[in-house]
Amino acid sequence: MSYEFAWLDYRNSVAAGAGDYLKKIACTGFEIASEADKNILFSAEQELMRAAKEINGQQSTVLKDEVTSEGISVVLSDAPGLKTGGFKIMITGPKITIEASDASGILYGVFRAITLIRTGKTSDGQIAESPASPIRMLDHWDNPDGSIERGYSGRSFFFKNDHLYVDDRTREYARLVASVGINAVAINNVNVNDIATGLVSGYDRKELTEIAKIFGDYGIKLYISLNFASPMSLGATDTADPLDSKVAQWWKEAADGLYRDIPELGGFLVKADSEGRPGPFSYDRTHADGANMLARALAPHNGLLIWRCFVYNCQQDWRDHTMDRARACYDNFIGLDGQFDDNVILQIKNGPMDFQVREPVSPLFGGLKKTNMMVEFQIAQEYTGQQRDICYLIPMFKQVLDFKTYNGDGEGVLCDIVTGKGSKQTCGMVAVSNTGDDPNWTGHDLAGANLYGFGRLAFNPALTSEEIADEWSRLTFCNDDTVADGVTKMLMMSWPTYEKYTSPLGIGWMISPGHHYGPDIEGYEFSPWGTYHRSDRNGLGVERGKTGTKMIDQYNEPVRSLYESIETCPDELVLFFHRLSYDHVLKSGKTVIEHIYDSHFEGVQDVNEMIGIWRSLADKVDGVRFGRVNDRLDGQLMNAREWRDRINTYYYRHSGVPDKQGRKIY
Ligand code: GCW
């Protein structure tokens, strides 16, 4: 399928005079680089040439080791004070100098400079930036048959017909994500099927090597998701017991073979003992036993083993009120703190449940003290509108990063843990990717802001959500204030709006089983998945405090007390932590039932407001993209109404409380 260039279409959005900078491009110091780095430097040069050609309509040549008084000068040297990937940009009159001490820093500096030029931010001054998270990763849930688990933008561009697939788009993808600083990508689903299991032992090795090479040209390390039981599934052993020497030896040989072909491989990503996947529990071994065995196969090659903490019982009995899925992640891992090898990183979902529109932060971040951690976000909008409804997730991610863990390490916010400011430096941020082979990469055009924003945020968490939205809009649509303001407004209201018309006050779920789009209030209520709201005529919610499942005890003080007391627990999470009656008065002054009605009516109004904003931009956004977004907004309005009417009716029927304002409830 054909593809567009998203925010890298240099023909869009060019500030007046921008092209002048690109008439002269000079690169200095590139010859000292290693072979792998030379490829990254080459990508940087190519990028400048491409910008020059698309913006000026004519080719530029790259001057080597020349000092120029105007244009762009790129200098690879021992610039002090910059971390790997860091860069400095100095602007003086007609000259922009980009300086870095490693090849990826040059590449990121070049992309940044092009953004500044395109958005007209070229007044005299200096910027110095180094990436905050060492690992800035995207996880693709792509399957060999080309389908994508929780994919909402077409089919996979990594796989087709049970094979890896490499074409121009592979490079365009690498370019796109490298432009926002992504440096690690896992290309296959964590639910690894039989075919993908073969990737570790030679299946499609040629294509795998090619992908790794293309990624390498853009400073990206390739990761493979693996099946914990691979040696068994491939018929080499009759067990996958991590303490069995045959199993460990098999993995060692598999890793040696992979690194022989792909010396730059990042490592492995593993989902084990989760939702039916095999894992060490089958052999009475711990997750540390399982992870360390794999990590030791990778260690001689400096590979990393990323181990997911999404481990819970999905065969729960809904009748049993003592079990609580929200406890599972912490309960499964807290006892293993300090037992993981140095090249193991635990990948922890941002919340204790599963990427809901509102969840508290996973207490595991505040619990582990001696373990490498990454936070896992989901920009694939599984539970947040599936790229049919707009939901700009960057404000949510920023709240998570700003959460104070009180774990006694570093300055105390979650961001410190994942950016190496605490005692552990092997860390990072990862997002489940929202891309597919749709021409615009992300299905909904505005979902591109989540892909762009995640990368920018992982690189520089100090950016505001508004800054990211504004910049993305200018690069994607046009460098126009009215468009940027309108798009930023829509994006900024979209997460609160989505929250208003879906499940209330942090309780989550209530989605259609299986595909997870649209409301089905009791869809998971009597299921084994552990996601209950237990609504009845008296109220709703699962009590997770002292009189309930005690999940709140997993937080450090003072967070624990804050959540335990209904008086201090923030309204937006109060039904996550507590069971409340419909007439309970929230901190907002409204009762629970009034909040449910009001927020659902408001949610639909907000969608109408977004539609109004978008339509006001009709003559400023190109017709194709204007129409695509317009159509999706119509669908979003229908979805919002459906949620509003089902939720309001359900709770009116359960509570018997009429709406004070006499609005229509069915
Ligand atoms: O949210 C759930 C999804 C599954 C997914 C799982 C996970 C890849 O519904 O589709 O499986 O999370 O994160 O492993």
Side-chain angles (χ1 to χ4, degrees), residues 83 372 543 574 581 589 596:
K83 287 201 283 188
N372 299 324
E543 181 56 48
V574 75
S581 61
I596 292 177

Side-chain angles (χ1 to χ4, degrees), residues 532-534 540-544 549 575-579:
Y532 315 117
H533 51 81
R534 304 209 177 100
L540 72 163
V542 175
E543 181 56 48
R544 297 193 156 109
T549 69
L575 284 181
F576 185 95
F577 288 120
H578 298 288
R579 179 167 181 83

Side-chain angles (χ1 to χ4, degrees), residues 141 149-150 189-191 271 275 308 310 349 354-355 382-383 516:
W141 289 353
E149 182 154 348
R150 313 304 176 189
N189 190 357
V190 288
N191 289 330
K271 170 177 180 177
E275 301 184 330
R308 295 178 86 229
F310 185 56
K349 287 193 182 183
D354 192 9
F355 302 138
E382 175 176 2
Y383 298 101
H516 297 169

